[in-house]
Amino acid sequence: MIIDLRSDTVTQPTPSMRVAMANAPVGDDVYGDDPTVNQLEKLAAELLGKEAALFVPSGTFGNQLAIMTHTQRGNEVLVGDACHILMHEVGAAAVLSGVQIRTFPVLDDGIDVEKLGLMLRGDDIHFPDTGLICMENAQSSGKTVPLANMEAVYALAQSQNIPVHIDGARIFNAALALGVEAKEIAAQGDSVNVCLSKGLCAPVGSLLLGTKKFIKKARKNRKLMGGGLRQAGILAAAGIIGLTEMVSRLEEDHQNARYLANRLEEIDSCSVLRNRLDINMVFFTLPESVITESALVAGLLEKNVKISGQEDGEYRFVTNHGVSSDDIDWVIESMKTLVSRYS
Protein backbone atom coordinates (compact mmCIF):
# COMPACT_ATOMS: atom_id res chain seq x y z
CA MET A 1 0.00 0.00 0.00
CA ILE A 2 1.21 3.48 -0.86
CA ILE A 3 1.43 6.16 1.85
CA ASP A 4 0.91 9.47 0.06
CA LEU A 5 1.92 12.68 1.84
CA ARG A 6 2.11 14.94 -1.20
CA SER A 7 -1.27 16.60 -0.59
CA ASP A 8 -4.77 16.02 0.71
CA THR A 9 -5.88 16.09 -2.94
CA VAL A 10 -4.71 12.47 -3.20
CA THR A 11 -7.58 11.19 -1.04
CA GLN A 12 -9.72 8.41 -2.48
CA PRO A 13 -13.54 8.44 -2.49
CA THR A 14 -14.96 6.59 0.50
CA PRO A 15 -17.12 3.47 0.06
CA SER A 16 -20.26 5.48 0.84
CA MET A 17 -19.26 8.03 -1.80
CA ARG A 18 -18.89 5.31 -4.42
CA VAL A 19 -22.35 3.96 -3.60
CA ALA A 20 -23.88 7.44 -3.71
CA MET A 21 -22.19 8.20 -7.02
CA ALA A 22 -23.42 4.97 -8.58
CA ASN A 23 -27.00 5.65 -7.53
CA ALA A 24 -27.18 9.43 -7.97
CA PRO A 25 -30.23 10.85 -9.77
CA VAL A 26 -28.92 13.04 -12.58
CA GLY A 27 -30.06 15.57 -15.14
CA ASP A 28 -28.46 18.25 -17.31
CA ASP A 29 -26.88 20.80 -14.95
CA VAL A 30 -26.49 23.43 -17.69
CA TYR A 31 -30.28 23.51 -17.78
CA GLY A 32 -30.39 23.40 -13.98
CA ASP A 33 -32.01 19.96 -14.16
CA ASP A 34 -29.59 17.86 -12.12
CA PRO A 35 -31.29 17.18 -8.77
CA THR A 36 -28.13 15.97 -7.05
CA VAL A 37 -26.14 19.05 -8.06
CA ASN A 38 -29.03 21.21 -6.90
CA GLN A 39 -29.07 19.37 -3.58
CA LEU A 40 -25.33 19.86 -3.12
CA GLU A 41 -25.52 23.58 -3.90
CA LYS A 42 -28.44 24.08 -1.51
CA LEU A 43 -26.66 22.15 1.25
CA ALA A 44 -23.45 24.14 0.81
CA ALA A 45 -25.26 27.50 0.81
CA GLU A 46 -27.00 26.62 4.08
CA LEU A 47 -23.79 25.32 5.64
CA LEU A 48 -21.73 28.38 4.68
CA GLY A 49 -24.46 30.97 5.25
CA LYS A 50 -24.62 32.23 1.66
CA GLU A 51 -27.64 32.79 -0.60
CA ALA A 52 -26.49 30.50 -3.40
CA ALA A 53 -23.75 28.13 -4.54
CA LEU A 54 -22.36 26.87 -7.84
CA PHE A 55 -20.62 23.52 -8.42
CA VAL A 56 -17.37 23.92 -10.37
CA PRO A 57 -14.64 21.51 -11.50
CA SER A 58 -11.80 22.65 -9.24
CA GLY A 59 -10.59 25.14 -6.66
CA THR A 60 -8.53 27.04 -9.21
CA PHE A 61 -11.63 27.22 -11.41
CA GLY A 62 -13.66 28.56 -8.47
CA ASN A 63 -11.14 31.25 -7.61
CA GLN A 64 -10.70 32.36 -11.22
CA LEU A 65 -14.45 32.35 -11.77
CA ALA A 66 -14.82 34.62 -8.74
CA ILE A 67 -12.20 37.02 -10.08
CA MET A 68 -13.84 37.10 -13.51
CA THR A 69 -17.29 37.69 -12.02
CA HIS A 70 -16.27 40.40 -9.55
CA THR A 71 -13.93 42.44 -11.76
CA GLN A 72 -13.59 44.29 -15.04
CA ARG A 73 -10.61 44.04 -17.35
CA GLY A 74 -7.82 46.36 -16.25
CA ASN A 75 -8.77 46.19 -12.57
CA GLU A 76 -6.19 45.53 -9.90
CA VAL A 77 -6.75 42.57 -7.57
CA LEU A 78 -5.08 42.57 -4.15
CA VAL A 79 -3.97 39.16 -2.86
CA GLY A 80 -1.75 37.80 -0.09
CA ASP A 81 1.92 37.54 -0.97
CA ALA A 82 2.09 33.73 -0.80
CA CYS A 83 -1.49 32.72 -1.59
CA HIS A 84 -2.62 29.97 -3.96
CA ILE A 85 -4.13 32.42 -6.46
CA LEU A 86 -0.74 34.06 -6.87
CA MET A 87 1.62 31.11 -6.55
CA HIS A 88 -0.16 28.08 -7.99
CA GLU A 89 -2.82 29.14 -10.48
CA VAL A 90 -0.62 29.59 -13.55
CA GLY A 91 -1.12 33.34 -13.88
CA ALA A 92 -4.74 32.63 -14.81
CA ALA A 93 -6.11 35.96 -13.56
CA ALA A 94 -4.13 37.84 -16.21
CA VAL A 95 -5.00 35.40 -18.97
CA LEU A 96 -8.69 34.87 -18.23
CA SER A 97 -9.81 38.14 -16.64
CA GLY A 98 -7.26 40.67 -17.84
CA VAL A 99 -6.55 41.94 -14.34
CA GLN A 100 -3.39 43.01 -12.58
CA ILE A 101 -2.32 41.22 -9.39
CA ARG A 102 -0.73 43.20 -6.55
CA THR A 103 0.31 41.59 -3.27
CA PHE A 104 -0.07 42.61 0.35
CA PRO A 105 2.00 41.07 3.17
CA VAL A 106 0.45 38.37 5.35
CA LEU A 107 2.27 38.17 8.68
CA ASP A 108 2.21 35.53 11.42
CA ASP A 109 -0.61 37.38 13.18
CA GLY A 110 -2.62 38.08 10.03
CA ILE A 111 -3.01 40.82 7.44
CA ASP A 112 -1.70 44.32 8.16
CA VAL A 113 -4.97 46.17 7.62
CA GLU A 114 -3.37 49.60 7.81
CA LYS A 115 -0.89 48.78 5.04
CA LEU A 116 -3.65 47.17 3.00
CA GLY A 117 -5.67 50.36 3.29
CA LEU A 118 -2.79 52.35 1.85
CA MET A 119 -2.73 50.05 -1.18
CA LEU A 120 -6.28 50.84 -2.26
CA ARG A 121 -6.11 52.94 -5.40
CA GLY A 122 -7.31 56.54 -5.41
CA ASP A 123 -9.07 58.45 -8.16
CA ASP A 124 -6.10 59.13 -10.42
CA ILE A 125 -6.08 58.76 -14.20
CA HIS A 126 -2.83 56.77 -14.00
CA PHE A 127 -4.12 54.15 -11.54
CA PRO A 128 -6.05 50.96 -12.16
CA ASP A 129 -9.20 50.62 -10.06
CA THR A 130 -8.99 48.26 -7.10
CA GLY A 131 -11.54 45.72 -8.23
CA LEU A 132 -11.22 42.96 -5.63
CA ILE A 133 -9.47 41.92 -2.43
CA CYS A 134 -8.77 38.21 -1.94
CA MET A 135 -8.14 36.54 1.40
CA GLU A 136 -7.18 32.91 1.95
CA ASN A 137 -8.15 30.83 5.00
CA ALA A 138 -6.63 28.39 5.70
CA GLN A 139 -3.55 29.67 3.92
CA SER A 140 -1.31 27.65 1.61
CA SER A 141 1.45 28.26 4.15
CA GLY A 142 -0.34 26.07 6.69
CA LYS A 143 -1.42 29.02 8.84
CA THR A 144 -4.86 30.37 9.58
CA VAL A 145 -6.00 34.00 9.62
CA PRO A 146 -7.70 35.10 12.87
CA LEU A 147 -11.40 35.81 12.43
CA ALA A 148 -11.09 39.32 13.92
CA ASN A 149 -8.41 40.12 11.34
CA MET A 150 -10.66 38.98 8.51
CA GLU A 151 -13.50 41.08 9.93
CA ALA A 152 -11.25 44.15 9.88
CA VAL A 153 -10.25 43.54 6.25
CA TYR A 154 -13.87 43.08 5.21
CA ALA A 155 -14.94 46.25 7.02
CA LEU A 156 -12.21 48.18 5.21
CA ALA A 157 -13.29 46.78 1.84
CA GLN A 158 -16.95 47.53 2.47
CA SER A 159 -16.13 51.11 3.42
CA GLN A 160 -14.62 51.53 -0.06
CA ASN A 161 -17.24 49.46 -1.93
CA ILE A 162 -14.63 46.87 -2.92
CA PRO A 163 -15.77 43.23 -3.03
CA VAL A 164 -13.89 40.51 -1.13
CA HIS A 165 -13.36 36.93 -2.24
CA ILE A 166 -12.22 34.23 0.18
CA ASP A 167 -10.22 31.27 -1.05
CA GLY A 168 -11.60 28.80 1.46
CA ALA A 169 -10.29 25.67 -0.21
CA ARG A 170 -9.59 24.34 3.30
CA ILE A 171 -12.17 26.46 5.12
CA PHE A 172 -13.26 23.56 7.32
CA ASN A 173 -9.66 22.98 8.43
CA ALA A 174 -9.41 26.69 9.22
CA ALA A 175 -12.66 26.63 11.18
CA LEU A 176 -11.47 23.65 13.20
CA ALA A 177 -8.13 25.31 13.98
CA LEU A 178 -9.76 28.62 14.95
CA GLY A 179 -12.59 27.04 16.94
CA VAL A 180 -15.31 28.76 14.89
CA GLU A 181 -17.98 27.69 12.43
CA ALA A 182 -17.07 27.73 8.76
CA LYS A 183 -19.94 30.13 8.06
CA GLU A 184 -18.27 32.69 10.36
CA ILE A 185 -15.24 32.68 8.07
CA ALA A 186 -17.38 32.75 4.93
CA ALA A 187 -19.26 35.76 6.31
CA GLN A 188 -16.10 37.88 5.93
CA GLY A 189 -16.37 37.94 2.15
CA ASP A 190 -18.81 38.49 -0.68
CA SER A 191 -17.85 35.18 -2.23
CA VAL A 192 -16.04 32.07 -1.07
CA ASN A 193 -14.50 29.06 -2.80
CA VAL A 194 -14.66 25.71 -0.97
CA CYS A 195 -12.86 22.58 -2.16
CA LEU A 196 -14.53 19.17 -1.92
CA SER A 197 -11.65 17.09 -3.30
CA LYS A 198 -9.01 17.67 -0.63
CA GLY A 199 -9.51 16.47 2.94
CA LEU A 200 -13.21 15.85 2.30
CA CYS A 201 -12.30 12.99 -0.10
CA ALA A 202 -14.62 13.78 -3.02
CA PRO A 203 -12.92 12.88 -6.32
CA VAL A 204 -13.71 16.12 -8.18
CA GLY A 205 -15.09 19.55 -7.54
CA SER A 206 -15.35 22.76 -5.60
CA LEU A 207 -18.13 25.21 -4.80
CA LEU A 208 -18.30 28.95 -5.38
CA LEU A 209 -20.76 30.70 -3.07
CA GLY A 210 -22.19 34.21 -2.85
CA THR A 211 -25.38 36.17 -3.40
CA LYS A 212 -28.01 34.93 -5.85
CA LYS A 213 -27.16 37.81 -8.18
CA PHE A 214 -23.44 37.00 -8.07
CA ILE A 215 -23.98 33.28 -8.66
CA LYS A 216 -26.31 33.98 -11.60
CA LYS A 217 -23.54 35.97 -13.26
CA ALA A 218 -20.95 33.36 -12.27
CA ARG A 219 -23.05 30.60 -13.83
CA LYS A 220 -22.80 32.32 -17.21
CA ASN A 221 -19.07 32.87 -16.74
CA ARG A 222 -18.68 29.20 -15.81
CA LYS A 223 -20.15 28.35 -19.21
CA LEU A 224 -17.79 30.84 -20.87
CA MET A 225 -14.82 29.14 -19.17
CA GLY A 226 -15.88 25.70 -20.41
CA GLY A 227 -17.21 24.55 -17.06
CA GLY A 228 -20.80 23.92 -18.07
CA LEU A 229 -21.35 20.43 -16.68
CA ARG A 230 -24.02 17.99 -17.82
CA GLN A 231 -24.94 14.92 -15.71
CA ALA A 232 -22.70 16.15 -12.92
CA GLY A 233 -24.79 14.64 -10.14
CA ILE A 234 -22.50 11.60 -10.22
CA LEU A 235 -19.75 13.90 -8.94
CA ALA A 236 -21.96 16.06 -6.75
CA ALA A 237 -23.14 12.98 -4.86
CA ALA A 238 -19.64 12.51 -3.48
CA GLY A 239 -19.55 16.18 -2.50
CA ILE A 240 -22.71 15.75 -0.45
CA ILE A 241 -21.07 12.89 1.46
CA GLY A 242 -17.97 15.05 1.91
CA LEU A 243 -19.96 17.84 3.52
CA THR A 244 -22.16 15.61 5.67
CA GLU A 245 -19.75 12.87 6.74
CA MET A 246 -16.14 13.98 6.28
CA VAL A 247 -15.92 17.43 7.87
CA SER A 248 -16.19 15.96 11.36
CA ARG A 249 -13.14 13.73 10.88
CA LEU A 250 -10.67 16.50 9.92
CA GLU A 251 -9.51 16.67 13.55
CA GLU A 252 -7.82 13.30 12.96
CA ASP A 253 -5.71 14.84 10.18
CA HIS A 254 -4.75 17.76 12.44
CA GLN A 255 -3.75 15.41 15.25
CA ASN A 256 -1.72 13.30 12.86
CA ALA A 257 0.02 16.40 11.57
CA ARG A 258 1.13 17.33 15.08
CA TYR A 259 2.24 13.75 15.70
CA LEU A 260 4.18 13.81 12.42
CA ALA A 261 5.84 17.10 13.40
CA ASN A 262 6.95 15.67 16.73
CA ARG A 263 8.39 12.55 15.14
CA LEU A 264 10.18 14.48 12.37
CA GLU A 265 12.14 16.31 15.04
CA GLU A 266 13.71 12.98 16.03
CA ILE A 267 15.73 13.19 12.80
CA ASP A 268 19.03 15.04 13.12
CA SER A 269 19.02 18.51 11.53
CA CYS A 270 15.32 18.28 10.64
CA SER A 271 13.70 21.59 11.56
CA VAL A 272 9.89 21.76 11.70
CA LEU A 273 8.30 25.17 11.06
CA ARG A 274 5.97 25.01 14.05
CA ASN A 275 4.58 28.51 13.51
CA ARG A 276 2.82 27.07 10.44
CA LEU A 277 1.31 23.97 12.03
CA ASP A 278 -2.28 25.18 12.29
CA ILE A 279 -3.95 22.59 10.07
CA ASN A 280 -2.95 19.31 8.37
CA MET A 281 0.30 20.50 6.80
CA VAL A 282 3.79 20.03 8.18
CA PHE A 283 6.55 22.19 6.70
CA PHE A 284 10.17 21.37 7.52
CA THR A 285 13.71 21.76 6.29
CA LEU A 286 16.30 19.02 5.96
CA PRO A 287 19.72 20.14 4.73
CA GLU A 288 21.16 18.67 1.53
CA SER A 289 24.25 17.88 3.56
CA VAL A 290 22.15 15.42 5.55
CA ILE A 291 20.33 13.90 2.56
CA THR A 292 19.71 15.26 -0.91
CA GLU A 293 16.22 15.97 -2.15
CA SER A 294 16.48 13.38 -4.92
CA ALA A 295 17.75 10.72 -2.50
CA LEU A 296 14.94 11.39 -0.04
CA VAL A 297 12.17 11.38 -2.66
CA ALA A 298 13.46 8.28 -4.46
CA GLY A 299 14.38 6.45 -1.26
CA LEU A 300 10.95 6.94 0.29
CA LEU A 301 9.27 5.87 -2.92
CA GLU A 302 11.14 2.58 -2.66
CA LYS A 303 9.51 2.28 0.78
CA ASN A 304 6.06 2.93 -0.80
CA VAL A 305 5.94 6.52 0.46
CA LYS A 306 5.18 9.35 -1.96
CA ILE A 307 6.35 12.88 -1.14
CA SER A 308 6.93 16.05 -3.12
CA GLY A 309 10.31 17.69 -3.50
CA GLN A 310 11.23 20.98 -1.89
CA GLU A 311 9.66 24.32 -2.72
CA ASP A 312 11.72 27.34 -1.72
CA GLY A 313 13.94 25.07 0.35
CA GLU A 314 11.08 23.53 2.35
CA TYR A 315 9.43 20.13 2.34
CA ARG A 316 5.69 19.83 2.90
CA PHE A 317 3.99 16.69 4.19
CA VAL A 318 0.18 16.72 4.25
CA THR A 319 -1.81 14.33 6.42
CA ASN A 320 -5.07 13.08 5.00
CA HIS A 321 -7.77 10.40 5.20
CA GLY A 322 -5.41 7.77 3.80
CA VAL A 323 -2.65 8.32 6.39
CA SER A 324 -2.73 6.80 9.89
CA SER A 325 -0.41 7.24 12.87
CA ASP A 326 1.07 3.81 12.06
CA ASP A 327 1.81 5.07 8.55
CA ILE A 328 3.59 8.07 10.05
CA ASP A 329 5.75 5.75 12.16
CA TRP A 330 6.71 3.87 8.99
CA VAL A 331 7.60 7.13 7.23
CA ILE A 332 9.81 8.33 10.08
CA GLU A 333 11.65 5.03 10.49
CA SER A 334 12.18 4.93 6.72
CA MET A 335 13.58 8.46 6.76
CA LYS A 336 15.92 7.60 9.64
CA THR A 337 17.22 4.61 7.69
CA LEU A 338 17.78 6.70 4.58
CA VAL A 339 19.56 9.48 6.48
CA SER A 340 21.86 7.00 8.23
CA ARG A 341 22.62 5.28 4.93
CA TYR A 342 23.32 8.56 3.16
CA SER A 343 25.54 9.95 5.89
Side-chain angles (χ1 to χ4, degrees):
M1 187 186 78
I2 295 291
I3 301 168
D4 201 333
L5 292 168
R6 291 173 299 172
S7 178
D8 45 8
T9 61
V10 302
T11 50
Q12 297 285 311
T14 65
S16 60
M17 284 181 179
R18 294 179 186 274
V19 171
M21 292 169 73
N23 296 305
V26 298
D28 191 322
D29 183 47
V30 172
Y31 289 111
D33 291 342
D34 192 301
T36 310
V37 172
N38 293 342
Q39 181 186 349
L40 170 64
E41 292 172 347
K42 183 175 185 293
L43 171 65
E46 292 172 352
L47 193 60
L48 276 300
K50 295 298 186 186
E51 288 183 358
L54 184 66
F55 185 52
V56 297
S58 70
T60 294
F61 197 113
N63 285 332
Q64 295 304 321
L65 180 57
I67 291 171
M68 180 179 288
T69 305
H70 280 301
T71 65
Q72 297 179 1
R73 296 180 68 83
N75 278 175
E76 184 168 79
V77 176
L78 301 180
V79 305
D81 54 9
C83 71
H84 194 275
I85 289 173
L86 174 72
M87 302 297 290
H88 295 113
E89 297 191 4
V90 210
V95 176
L96 298 175
S97 299
V99 296
Q100 172 173 295
I101 296 291
R102 188 178 178 202
T103 64
F104 55 81
V106 182
L107 310 174
D108 281 349
D109 58 351
I111 298 164
D112 187 325
V113 181
E114 184 176 349
K115 285 187 178 180
L116 179 62
L118 295 174
M119 294 177 66
L120 304 182
R121 296 293 194 168
D123 186 16
D124 186 297
I125 195 171
H126 301 92
F127 295 163
D129 293 331
T130 304
L132 182 66
I133 296 172
C134 296
M135 291 190 279
E136 183 180 54
N137 210 6
Q139 298 178 77
S140 302
S141 65
K143 287 190 64 62
T144 54
V145 179
L147 190 62
N149 185 236
M150 295 187 74
E151 291 172 344
V153 171
Y154 195 33
L156 169 67
Q158 289 179 308
S159 72
Q160 301 298 314
N161 294 315
I162 298 170
V164 171
H165 171 66
I166 299 170
D167 180 359
R170 295 182 177 88
I171 195 170
F172 296 107
N173 294 90
L176 176 61
L178 293 170
V180 302
E181 291 188 36
K183 66 171 57 179
E184 295 180 73
I185 297 174
Q188 309 316 314
D190 300 285
S191 63
V192 59
N193 169 64
V194 179
C195 191
L196 300 169
S197 61
K198 292 186 169 71
L200 302 187
C201 296
V204 175
S206 289
L207 290 152
L208 179 63
L209 301 98
T211 63
K212 290 180 181 178
K213 181 179 179 180
F214 172 81
I215 292 300
K216 181 179 179 181
K217 184 178 179 182
R219 188 176 294 275
K220 187 166 186 176
N221 284 337
R222 183 185 71 169
K223 180 68 173 173
L224 182 154
M225 292 170 65
L229 305 174
R230 299 299 180 177
Q231 287 72 37
I234 292 173
L235 301 174
I240 292 170
I241 300 295
L243 292 178
T244 56
E245 296 184 7
M246 305 306 291
V247 171
S248 60
R249 62 147 304 278
L250 292 176
E251 174 61 25
E252 179 184 343
D253 293 344
H254 289 209
Q255 291 174 351
N256 281 337
R258 292 188 285 271
Y259 179 63
L260 174 58
N262 292 338
R263 293 232 53 199
L264 279 167
E265 290 182 332
E266 297 173 14
I267 300 171
D268 289 342
S269 302
C270 183
S271 179
V272 174
L273 304 176
R274 287 194 168 270
N275 65 326
R276 289 158 56 187
L277 193 56
D278 289 351
I279 54 170
N280 61 323
M281 298 179 180
V282 182
F283 293 84
F284 66 94
T285 58
L286 192 58
E288 292 276 306
S289 59
V290 174
I291 185 169
T292 65
E293 176 184 324
S294 59
L296 182 62
V297 173
L300 283 178
L301 187 58
E302 290 179 2
K303 299 284 189 178
N304 292 325
V305 179
K306 288 185 178 181
I307 67 167
S308 297
Q310 300 177 78
E311 184 171 337
D312 297 328
E314 299 172 356
Y315 291 98
R316 184 190 77 165
F317 286 0
V318 185
T319 54
N320 57 74
H321 185 248
V323 177
S324 67
S325 57
D326 288 341
D327 293 332
I328 291 169
D329 290 335
W330 173 260
V331 171
I332 298 302
E333 296 309 315
S334 299
M335 289 179 68
K336 287 180 177 179
T337 299
L338 288 168
V339 167
S340 64
R341 182 192 305 166
Y342 189 81
S343 58

